[in-house]
Amino acid sequence: MSWCRLRSVFCLENFSWFSRGQGLTDQRSRTSNGGSDSFSHPYLPLITHDKKTAMREVQLGSHTLRSHGVKVARTHKHDWLILLLLAGIIAALNFIHPFYRFVGKDMMDDLKYPHKSNTVPFWVVPMYADVLPIFIFLIFYFYRRDVYDLHHAILGLLFSTLGTTVITDAIKDAVGRPRPDFFWRCFPDGKDVYDKWGNVICSGAKNIIKEGHKSFPSGHTSLSFAGLGFLSLYLAGKIKAFDCRGHVAKLCLVWLPLLAAALVGISRVDDYRHHWQDVFAGGLLGYVVALFCYLQFFPPPHHVRGWATYAYFRAMDECGGTTPVNNGAGSLEAGVDNQETKRSDEAEAEAFMEIALADDRHSHSEDMKSGGGRHS
């Protein structure tokens, strides 16, 4: 084989790896039903698909909470210790005095909203931001018996919510922005008093005044988007919302947690506890942290392997890609996915062959021209 042909083949192999986002290097890749080679062209054994990808719905029935739960937890023991550290930091931040920003009389026009009770009490937020997603994680675990999915989902969720809380509380203490109801927190009797510099001299309860300087960003909103945003990403991967089949109902299910988080943020503005900028920043902060934490353990939801954890596929590699199937529905869908994968691989291989043949024709024409030049 000439150097130009070798160069074409290796370039195709590298392009295949990049375009599919996974290793396509198994030269003995075979279809699931016949055991024959996927392609017959002499170049195509180098452009093969990963046969483990064809097992997308294969269950890890032998990797359960009872058999591998302790092992997985020990592997991530340092991560759990960091979670405890984050919880301690949150407790410490609640004792730190926030920055008391200068508040003058001419600034009170935007701070005289009534002091109302919370529509969503703070103790309710962990219930729907942590407990509800964990309950859904357990449902998927009882369906698939995948300890990696359960452990990593819970760990990622807790990192998302606790990490968001640490960042939110730290910013609150550093900024010290007054809440929209700060006037009535500072002057519960309605009589405002200022010092010689024009700063407020509050007469209200110290803890209420302290909370009145923690407007930016919204803790309810950031924590809601951290927990429910993580749940939205998790559901998008599990139900394959971006499988290019056009099922809009899947998107509605993915949007539902985000809608709930947005309504919580709106309630904070309606309760005059936050300005709209606080809610917007809190929602953005919570969702970004949730996205980072999710991608630590799961592929992107739109990825072909977005329905399981990275650890799941590593376990499949260790098992040689032969894991038991728990139900017939999974095997049926696996067969459909195998056919779809084969068709996509064939289309990709045809495109690669056209590039290779074009490169060969180009190199052959250059050789002819150089040979003709020497003869002349």
Side-chain angles (χ1 to χ4, degrees), residues 80-112:
W80 289 103
L81 290 176
I82 293 176
L83 286 179
L84 295 177
L85 177 62
L86 293 177
I89 294 175
I90 293 173
L93 288 173
N94 288 326
F95 288 101
I96 294 178
H97 208 283
F99 173 66
Y100 276 13
R101 182 177 297 276
F102 176 88
V103 182
K105 187 173 184 179
D106 56 345
M107 302 170 60
M108 284 295 181
D109 293 337
D110 295 332
L111 305 176
K112 286 188 176 181

Short mmCIF file of all heavy atoms in Angstrom, two decimals, residues 80-112:
data_model
loop_
_atom_site.label_atom_id
_atom_site.label_comp_id
_atom_site.label_asym_id
_atom_site.label_seq_id
_atom_site.Cartn_x
_atom_site.Cartn_y
_atom_site.Cartn_z
N TRP A 80 -17.57 12.30 49.22
CA TRP A 80 -18.53 12.41 50.31
C TRP A 80 -17.96 13.25 51.45
O TRP A 80 -18.70 14.00 52.11
CB TRP A 80 -18.92 11.02 50.81
CG TRP A 80 -19.77 10.28 49.84
CD1 TRP A 80 -19.39 9.27 49.01
CD2 TRP A 80 -21.17 10.49 49.59
NE1 TRP A 80 -20.45 8.84 48.25
CE2 TRP A 80 -21.55 9.57 48.59
CE3 TRP A 80 -22.12 11.36 50.11
CZ2 TRP A 80 -22.86 9.49 48.11
CZ3 TRP A 80 -23.42 11.30 49.63
CH2 TRP A 80 -23.77 10.38 48.64
N LEU A 81 -16.67 13.17 51.67
CA LEU A 81 -16.06 14.02 52.69
C LEU A 81 -16.13 15.50 52.29
O LEU A 81 -16.33 16.37 53.15
CB LEU A 81 -14.60 13.60 52.91
CG LEU A 81 -14.39 12.24 53.59
CD1 LEU A 81 -12.90 11.90 53.66
CD2 LEU A 81 -15.00 12.23 55.00
N ILE A 82 -15.97 15.75 51.00
CA ILE A 82 -16.08 17.14 50.54
C ILE A 82 -17.50 17.65 50.73
O ILE A 82 -17.72 18.82 51.06
CB ILE A 82 -15.64 17.24 49.07
CG1 ILE A 82 -14.14 16.96 48.95
CG2 ILE A 82 -15.97 18.61 48.49
CD1 ILE A 82 -13.64 16.94 47.53
N LEU A 83 -18.49 16.79 50.55
CA LEU A 83 -19.87 17.20 50.79
C LEU A 83 -20.07 17.60 52.25
O LEU A 83 -20.76 18.60 52.54
CB LEU A 83 -20.83 16.06 50.43
CG LEU A 83 -21.06 15.80 48.94
CD1 LEU A 83 -22.00 14.63 48.75
CD2 LEU A 83 -21.61 17.03 48.26
N LEU A 84 -19.48 16.84 53.17
CA LEU A 84 -19.56 17.22 54.58
C LEU A 84 -18.88 18.56 54.83
O LEU A 84 -19.36 19.39 55.62
CB LEU A 84 -18.93 16.13 55.45
CG LEU A 84 -19.64 14.77 55.45
CD1 LEU A 84 -18.86 13.76 56.30
CD2 LEU A 84 -21.07 14.91 55.97
N LEU A 85 -17.76 18.78 54.15
CA LEU A 85 -17.07 20.07 54.28
C LEU A 85 -17.94 21.21 53.76
O LEU A 85 -18.00 22.28 54.38
CB LEU A 85 -15.75 20.02 53.51
CG LEU A 85 -14.93 21.31 53.48
CD1 LEU A 85 -14.53 21.72 54.89
CD2 LEU A 85 -13.70 21.15 52.59
N LEU A 86 -18.63 20.99 52.64
CA LEU A 86 -19.52 22.02 52.11
C LEU A 86 -20.65 22.33 53.08
O LEU A 86 -21.03 23.50 53.25
CB LEU A 86 -20.09 21.58 50.76
CG LEU A 86 -19.10 21.47 49.59
CD1 LEU A 86 -19.81 20.95 48.34
CD2 LEU A 86 -18.46 22.82 49.31
N ALA A 87 -21.19 21.28 53.71
CA ALA A 87 -22.24 21.51 54.69
C ALA A 87 -21.73 22.35 55.86
O ALA A 87 -22.44 23.24 56.37
CB ALA A 87 -22.79 20.17 55.19
N GLY A 88 -20.50 22.09 56.30
CA GLY A 88 -19.92 22.90 57.37
C GLY A 88 -19.70 24.34 56.95
O GLY A 88 -19.91 25.28 57.74
N ILE A 89 -19.30 24.56 55.71
CA ILE A 89 -19.11 25.92 55.21
C ILE A 89 -20.43 26.67 55.17
O ILE A 89 -20.50 27.87 55.51
CB ILE A 89 -18.45 25.89 53.82
CG1 ILE A 89 -17.03 25.32 53.92
CG2 ILE A 89 -18.42 27.28 53.20
CD1 ILE A 89 -16.35 25.16 52.58
N ILE A 90 -21.49 25.98 54.79
CA ILE A 90 -22.81 26.62 54.76
C ILE A 90 -23.22 27.07 56.16
O ILE A 90 -23.74 28.18 56.35
CB ILE A 90 -23.85 25.65 54.18
CG1 ILE A 90 -23.56 25.39 52.69
CG2 ILE A 90 -25.26 26.20 54.33
CD1 ILE A 90 -24.42 24.32 52.09
N ALA A 91 -23.00 26.21 57.15
CA ALA A 91 -23.32 26.58 58.52
C ALA A 91 -22.51 27.78 58.98
O ALA A 91 -23.02 28.68 59.67
CB ALA A 91 -23.09 25.39 59.45
N ALA A 92 -21.23 27.84 58.59
CA ALA A 92 -20.38 28.97 58.99
C ALA A 92 -20.82 30.26 58.31
O ALA A 92 -20.79 31.34 58.93
CB ALA A 92 -18.92 28.66 58.66
N LEU A 93 -21.23 30.17 57.05
CA LEU A 93 -21.64 31.38 56.33
C LEU A 93 -22.90 32.00 56.93
O LEU A 93 -23.11 33.22 56.81
CB LEU A 93 -21.87 31.05 54.85
CG LEU A 93 -20.62 30.77 54.02
CD1 LEU A 93 -20.99 30.30 52.62
CD2 LEU A 93 -19.74 32.01 53.93
N ASN A 94 -23.74 31.19 57.56
CA ASN A 94 -24.95 31.73 58.18
C ASN A 94 -24.63 32.55 59.42
O ASN A 94 -25.45 33.37 59.85
CB ASN A 94 -25.91 30.59 58.53
CG ASN A 94 -26.57 30.00 57.29
OD1 ASN A 94 -26.84 30.71 56.33
ND2 ASN A 94 -26.81 28.70 57.32
N PHE A 95 -23.47 32.32 60.03
CA PHE A 95 -23.08 33.09 61.20
C PHE A 95 -22.29 34.34 60.83
O PHE A 95 -22.14 35.25 61.66
CB PHE A 95 -22.23 32.22 62.15
CG PHE A 95 -23.02 31.18 62.86
CD1 PHE A 95 -23.01 29.86 62.42
CD2 PHE A 95 -23.79 31.50 63.97
CE1 PHE A 95 -23.73 28.88 63.08
CE2 PHE A 95 -24.52 30.53 64.64
CZ PHE A 95 -24.49 29.22 64.20
N ILE A 96 -21.79 34.39 59.60
CA ILE A 96 -21.02 35.56 59.17
C ILE A 96 -21.95 36.75 58.96
O ILE A 96 -23.03 36.62 58.38
CB ILE A 96 -20.24 35.24 57.88
CG1 ILE A 96 -19.17 34.18 58.16
CG2 ILE A 96 -19.59 36.50 57.31
CD1 ILE A 96 -18.40 33.77 56.94
N HIS A 97 -21.53 37.89 59.43
CA HIS A 97 -22.31 39.11 59.28
C HIS A 97 -22.19 39.62 57.86
O HIS A 97 -21.09 39.81 57.35
CB HIS A 97 -21.81 40.17 60.27
CG HIS A 97 -22.87 41.14 60.68
ND1 HIS A 97 -23.30 42.16 59.86
CD2 HIS A 97 -23.62 41.22 61.81
CE1 HIS A 97 -24.24 42.85 60.48
NE2 HIS A 97 -24.46 42.31 61.67
N PRO A 98 -23.30 39.85 57.16
CA PRO A 98 -23.20 40.37 55.79
C PRO A 98 -22.71 41.81 55.77
O PRO A 98 -22.77 42.53 56.78
CB PRO A 98 -24.64 40.25 55.27
CG PRO A 98 -25.48 40.35 56.50
CD PRO A 98 -24.69 39.67 57.58
N PHE A 99 -22.24 42.23 54.63
CA PHE A 99 -21.79 43.60 54.47
C PHE A 99 -22.99 44.55 54.53
O PHE A 99 -23.97 44.37 53.80
CB PHE A 99 -21.08 43.74 53.11
CG PHE A 99 -20.72 45.16 52.76
CD1 PHE A 99 -19.78 45.86 53.50
CD2 PHE A 99 -21.33 45.80 51.69
CE1 PHE A 99 -19.46 47.17 53.18
CE2 PHE A 99 -21.00 47.09 51.36
CZ PHE A 99 -20.06 47.78 52.10
N TYR A 100 -22.91 45.52 55.46
CA TYR A 100 -24.00 46.48 55.59
C TYR A 100 -23.74 47.65 54.65
O TYR A 100 -22.97 48.57 54.95
CB TYR A 100 -24.10 46.97 57.04
CG TYR A 100 -24.92 46.06 57.93
CD1 TYR A 100 -25.26 44.78 57.50
CD2 TYR A 100 -25.35 46.46 59.18
CE1 TYR A 100 -26.00 43.93 58.29
CE2 TYR A 100 -26.10 45.62 60.00
CZ TYR A 100 -26.41 44.35 59.54
OH TYR A 100 -27.16 43.50 60.33
N ARG A 101 -24.40 47.58 53.52
CA ARG A 101 -24.24 48.60 52.49
C ARG A 101 -24.89 49.91 52.93
O ARG A 101 -25.89 49.91 53.65
CB ARG A 101 -24.85 48.09 51.19
CG ARG A 101 -24.72 49.02 50.00
CD ARG A 101 -25.31 48.34 48.77
NE ARG A 101 -24.54 47.15 48.45
CZ ARG A 101 -23.42 47.15 47.74
NH1 ARG A 101 -22.94 48.30 47.28
NH2 ARG A 101 -22.78 46.04 47.49
N PHE A 102 -24.33 51.01 52.46
CA PHE A 102 -24.91 52.33 52.75
C PHE A 102 -26.31 52.41 52.13
O PHE A 102 -26.51 52.12 50.95
CB PHE A 102 -24.02 53.43 52.18
CG PHE A 102 -24.59 54.81 52.34
CD1 PHE A 102 -24.33 55.54 53.49
CD2 PHE A 102 -25.38 55.38 51.36
CE1 PHE A 102 -24.85 56.83 53.66
CE2 PHE A 102 -25.90 56.65 51.51
CZ PHE A 102 -25.64 57.38 52.67
N VAL A 103 -27.25 52.80 52.95
CA VAL A 103 -28.63 52.97 52.50
C VAL A 103 -29.09 54.35 52.93
O VAL A 103 -29.31 54.61 54.13
CB VAL A 103 -29.56 51.89 53.10
CG1 VAL A 103 -30.98 52.08 52.57
CG2 VAL A 103 -29.05 50.49 52.77
N GLY A 104 -29.24 55.24 51.97
CA GLY A 104 -29.66 56.61 52.25
C GLY A 104 -31.15 56.80 52.06
O GLY A 104 -31.87 55.89 51.59
N LYS A 105 -31.62 57.96 52.43
CA LYS A 105 -33.06 58.25 52.36
C LYS A 105 -33.57 58.24 50.94
O LYS A 105 -34.69 57.81 50.66
CB LYS A 105 -33.33 59.60 53.02
CG LYS A 105 -34.81 59.92 53.17
CD LYS A 105 -35.02 61.19 53.97
CE LYS A 105 -36.52 61.45 54.18
NZ LYS A 105 -36.74 62.69 54.99
N ASP A 106 -32.73 58.74 50.00
CA ASP A 106 -33.17 58.77 48.60
C ASP A 106 -33.19 57.39 47.96
O ASP A 106 -33.70 57.24 46.85
CB ASP A 106 -32.27 59.71 47.79
CG ASP A 106 -30.80 59.32 47.88
OD1 ASP A 106 -30.47 58.52 48.79
OD2 ASP A 106 -29.99 59.80 47.07
N MET A 107 -32.65 56.38 48.63
CA MET A 107 -32.66 55.01 48.12
C MET A 107 -33.86 54.22 48.60
O MET A 107 -34.07 53.09 48.16
CB MET A 107 -31.37 54.30 48.55
CG MET A 107 -30.09 54.97 48.08
SD MET A 107 -28.60 54.27 48.84
CE MET A 107 -28.71 52.57 48.29
N MET A 108 -34.64 54.78 49.50
CA MET A 108 -35.73 54.04 50.11
C MET A 108 -36.95 53.88 49.20
O MET A 108 -37.85 53.10 49.51
CB MET A 108 -36.18 54.75 51.40
CG MET A 108 -35.24 54.52 52.55
SD MET A 108 -35.22 52.78 53.02
CE MET A 108 -34.06 52.82 54.38
N ASP A 109 -36.98 54.60 48.09
CA ASP A 109 -38.16 54.49 47.22
C ASP A 109 -38.34 53.06 46.69
O ASP A 109 -39.47 52.61 46.51
CB ASP A 109 -38.03 55.46 46.05
CG ASP A 109 -38.11 56.90 46.50
OD1 ASP A 109 -38.66 57.15 47.60
OD2 ASP A 109 -37.60 57.78 45.78
N ASP A 110 -37.22 52.36 46.44
CA ASP A 110 -37.29 50.99 45.93
C ASP A 110 -37.23 49.95 47.03
O ASP A 110 -37.19 48.75 46.75
CB ASP A 110 -36.15 50.73 44.95
CG ASP A 110 -36.26 51.58 43.70
OD1 ASP A 110 -37.39 51.94 43.32
OD2 ASP A 110 -35.21 51.90 43.11
N LEU A 111 -37.22 50.39 48.29
CA LEU A 111 -37.08 49.47 49.41
C LEU A 111 -38.24 49.55 50.40
O LEU A 111 -38.13 49.09 51.53
CB LEU A 111 -35.76 49.73 50.15
CG LEU A 111 -34.48 49.71 49.30
CD1 LEU A 111 -33.28 50.08 50.16
CD2 LEU A 111 -34.28 48.36 48.65
N LYS A 112 -39.36 50.13 49.97
CA LYS A 112 -40.50 50.32 50.87
C LYS A 112 -41.64 49.34 50.60
O LYS A 112 -42.78 49.60 50.98
CB LYS A 112 -41.02 51.75 50.76
CG LYS A 112 -40.13 52.78 51.44
CD LYS A 112 -40.80 54.15 51.44
CE LYS A 112 -39.95 55.17 52.20
NZ LYS A 112 -40.60 56.50 52.25
#
